[in-house]
Amino acid sequence: MIGLSMTSYRGRTLREFEDWLERVEELGFDFVELVSEWPNFLTRETWKTYADVLGSFDIGVTVHAPFSDVNVGSLNEKIRRASLEVLRETLDVASNLNALVVTVHPGHCSPASRRFHGDYNRVHKSSLRELERYSSEFGVPVGVENMPSFPILDAQMPERLAELLEETDLGVTFDIGHLNTVGFPFERFLELLGKRIVHVHLHDNSGESDEHLPLGNGTIPWKKVLPWLRDFTWALEVTGIEDARVSLGFLRAIDEL
């Protein structure tokens, strides 16, 4: 199954959302990935509105949990608890939407977490164990996503993501574009985390930064990568409908659609 992320959506209104869904369906996508970020948060107050629009389409749903201002690795307990409550609400809503999977970012670093790394690891892993309980509570698989090269982001390398998840049975959302920004240790990722993969994000880049280019416009060796990932749902994380169209054409040209 292949879907399109709301990274390609720039609207704010229900009419704009419906128009976007029409174009997504016309392109032949199997599902959409709802990204719960400003100005389109999925909450207990808003989810039904999105569900009503989605009900007019024969299309599935995955969810990307909020990540701006959310940090499950925060050493400030009030911020950590608030972040976990946001994720719990997202899983509750995702369950109502019959979402196939929810993607969640790991915690990220701060000046305090760099100084008190042992404490940071302890609270970070505790949060992930709690997230695992939410996944069971609401019956929705969770994929913790590998992060791109950026100073404050954790879990950029497969070894670090495996370390964070070692006390849980949480899944992984494998972001291929992110992996390309840290040297593309693809075989190592599969070795350490292949059995945890529940979902895949597709986008391209030059290897220098997280550009979210159409597939084929960067340096990722897609012909090598994709045959290993055919058993999973793929979500295109590009920045516009035209980039989605280009990416679909690329996948057809390499016989992956």
Side-chain angles (χ1 to χ4, degrees), residues 6 31 44 54 91 105 119 162 176 182 231 235 242 253:
M6 281 179 73
F31 65 90
R44 293 186 182 100
L54 284 161
L91 281 162
H105 282 195
D119 294 326
I176 299 172
V182 296
D231 292 338
E242 185 54 35

Side-chain angles (χ1 to χ4, degrees), residues 115-160:
R115 182 178 178 189
F116 301 100
H117 193 68
D119 294 326
Y120 166 70
N121 268 347
R122 176 177 52 79
V123 301
H124 198 168
K125 290 182 177 182
S126 175
S127 293
L128 292 170
R129 290 193 300 271
E130 190 155 351
L131 183 61
E132 181 180 25
R133 291 193 290 273
Y134 299 161
S135 177
S136 296
E137 177 184 358
F138 295 108
V140 181
V142 167
V144 181
E145 187 173 9
N146 59 299
M147 293 289 96
S149 177
F150 194 77
I152 69 167
L153 297 183
D154 204 346
Q156 298 178 27
M157 300 301 291
E159 293 84 357
R160 175 58 176 162

Side-chain angles (χ1 to χ4, degrees), residues 188-251:
R188 184 64 169 158
F189 195 100
L190 292 185
E191 176 189 349
L192 292 177
L193 297 161
K195 292 181 179 179
R196 289 186 183 263
I197 297 172
V198 293
H199 188 47
V200 177
H201 284 167
L202 307 182
H203 52 98
D204 218 331
N205 60 62
S206 63
E208 300 299 318
S209 63
D210 190 24
E211 299 166 278
H212 286 259
L213 300 175
L215 305 192
N217 284 24
T219 61
I220 294 173
W222 293 107
K223 290 182 180 180
K224 167 188 173 182
V225 169
L226 292 178
W228 291 92
L229 302 172
R230 290 172 180 158
D231 292 338
F232 308 109
T233 48
W234 297 350
L236 271 176
E237 277 198 329
V238 291
T239 59
I241 285 286
E242 185 54 35
D243 285 358
R245 190 189 311 277
V246 169
S247 297
L248 289 176
F250 176 82
L251 290 173

Side-chain angles (χ1 to χ4, degrees), residues 1 14 43 85 106 118 133 136 138 142 148 168 172 181 193 202 255:
M1 296 176 69
L14 287 179
T43 67
E85 176 50 37
R133 291 193 290 273
S136 296
F138 295 108
V142 167
T168 77
V172 163
T181 69
L193 297 161
L202 307 182
D255 296 321

Side-chain angles (χ1 to χ4, degrees), residues 75-144:
L75 287 168
N76 184 318
E77 184 62 9
K78 290 182 178 179
I79 292 174
R80 189 180 78 91
R81 293 307 319 170
S83 297
L84 284 168
E85 176 50 37
V86 167
L87 297 183
R88 186 176 185 276
E89 178 182 37
T90 302
L91 281 162
D92 185 5
V93 167
S95 177
N96 292 335
L97 291 167
N98 297 313
L100 301 169
V101 65
V102 173
T103 294
V104 172
H105 282 195
H108 56 265
C109 301
S110 67
S113 65
R114 293 188 186 281
R115 182 178 178 189
F116 301 100
H117 193 68
D119 294 326
Y120 166 70
N121 268 347
R122 176 177 52 79
V123 301
H124 198 168
K125 290 182 177 182
S126 175
S127 293
L128 292 170
R129 290 193 300 271
E130 190 155 351
L131 183 61
E132 181 180 25
R133 291 193 290 273
Y134 299 161
S135 177
S136 296
E137 177 184 358
F138 295 108
V140 181
V142 167
V144 181

Side-chain angles (χ1 to χ4, degrees), residues 157-172:
M157 300 301 291
E159 293 84 357
R160 175 58 176 162
L161 183 53
E163 177 191 353
L164 286 172
L165 296 178
E166 63 188 357
E167 298 172 9
T168 77
D169 290 323
L170 287 169
V172 163

